[in-house]
């Protein structure tokens, strides 16, 4: 039953994280024609931040 709550929190948090990361310009870190690499980094950073936020929310309300 708790897994369902965690999945719901993921569904809510992931779009918020990607919306907030939209203002970052990480393409400046990479070479000119490395757009795909920059997008993968953007994806992994977004998922990592989402994982941390969901873990915090889940632990915060578990007690």
């Amino acid at each position: 039953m708790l897994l369902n709550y965690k999945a719901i929190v993921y569904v809510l948090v992931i779009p918020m994280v990607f919306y907030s990361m939209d203002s970052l310009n990480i393409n400046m870190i990479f070479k000119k024609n490395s757009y795909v690499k920059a997008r993968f980094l953007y994806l992994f950073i977004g998922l990592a931040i989402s994982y941390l936020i969901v873990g915090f929310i889940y632990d915060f309300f578990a007690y």
Side-chain angles (χ1 to χ4, degrees):
M1 188 71 172
L2 290 177
L3 181 64
N4 294 337
Y5 294 128
K6 203 169 193 178
I8 292 170
V9 175
Y10 268 112
V11 169
L12 295 174
V13 167
I14 288 175
M16 288 190 292
V17 168
F18 281 108
Y19 178 74
S20 65
M21 286 180 56
D22 198 26
S23 64
L24 296 177
N25 187 8
I26 62 169
N27 292 330
M28 298 174 70
I29 299 171
F30 292 93
K31 295 178 184 176
K32 268 191 172 183
N33 295 325
S34 299
Y35 181 74
V36 175
K37 292 178 185 177
R39 278 305 192 192
F40 273 119
L41 180 67
Y42 184 80
L43 175 70
F44 290 137
I45 289 173
L47 291 176
I49 292 172
S50 299
Y51 176 78
L52 292 172
I53 292 172
V54 169
F56 172 75
I57 292 171
Y58 186 72
D59 289 341
F60 186 76
F61 288 114
Y63 292 106

